Amino acid sequence: PLGKNNYAGDDEPWKELDVSPPTYPSEADLIEFDNGPTNRNHYLIDGSTISPGEDGVVRYVLVLRTPGGATNVSFEGIRCDTKEFKLYALGRMDRTWSSVKTPAWQRIEYNELLPYRATLFRNFFCASGPIKTGEEGRSALKRGRHPAAPY
């Protein structure tokens, strides 16, 4: 039977791990992924930061680059069993982190202006439940999708 965390044998209420932002991303570790044919932005994940936690949350650093040259960096997590995301911290120009004051879980929607979280959820990190290792996530990104992704 499934417990409250949707994991077999787990009867405890879900408890999120206490996490801190990882090392700021390095160009050498960035892996770009396709976010659909109509999107002109570049979406990259720092492969060294992909971290599936024991709480069922896959955490990662995202780098978003616009055609106009703007860059946004964020430390985020996706909770696969509830289809939610949380923004933990935002990157600053001096390559440090600014923690989000009141991070909250929010539903992943497919109709957002920037639907990259839905793409990460469906095609890479949660295709058959949360990925088990960072390497599984990196491999999925490099291949263009997780083998268990629906399409």
Side-chain angles (χ1 to χ4, degrees):
L2 294 180
K4 294 176 184 165
N5 283 342
N6 292 335
Y7 302 114
D10 186 359
D11 292 325
E12 296 296 317
W14 183 75
K15 182 172 178 0
E16 183 176 7
L17 294 175
D18 187 24
V19 297
S20 299
T23 304
Y24 208 79
S26 161
E27 278 298 316
D29 294 322
L30 297 179
I31 306 167
E32 187 165 7
F33 67 95
D34 184 11
N35 195 40
T38 61
N39 201 307
R40 295 181 39 223
N41 293 324
H42 294 275
Y43 296 87
L44 307 106
I45 297 290
D46 180 339
S48 72
T49 65
I50 300 170
S51 176
E54 291 180 16
D55 56 1
V57 177
V58 179
R59 293 175 182 86
Y60 55 90
V61 169
L62 174 94
V63 176
L64 185 155
R65 294 186 177 140
T66 68
T71 298
N72 294 307
V73 179
S74 55
F75 174 48
E76 307 181 0
I78 291 178
R79 188 173 172 199
C80 296
D81 65 338
T82 59
K83 196 178 172 192
E84 294 175 302
F85 76 92
K86 183 185 270 190
L87 183 61
Y88 294 102
L90 296 171
R92 296 184 183 120
M93 294 289 286
D94 65 358
R95 301 180 58 78
T96 63
W97 294 104
S98 173
S99 293
V100 173
K101 298 291 184 243
T102 54
W105 289 104
Q106 300 173 54
R107 185 94 177 131
I108 294 173
E109 301 291 343
Y110 288 89
N111 59 354
E112 294 176 4
L113 182 60
L114 302 173
Y116 69 87
R117 292 181 188 106
T119 300
L120 289 172
F121 174 88
R122 181 183 59 234
N123 294 345
F124 299 104
F125 296 158
C126 304
S128 62
I131 57 172
K132 305 287 188 264
T133 65
E135 182 53 40
E136 183 181 355
R138 286 186 291 280
S139 294
L141 288 165
K142 289 174 183 174
R143 273 195 311 270
R145 65 185 283 279
H146 191 280
Y151 39 79

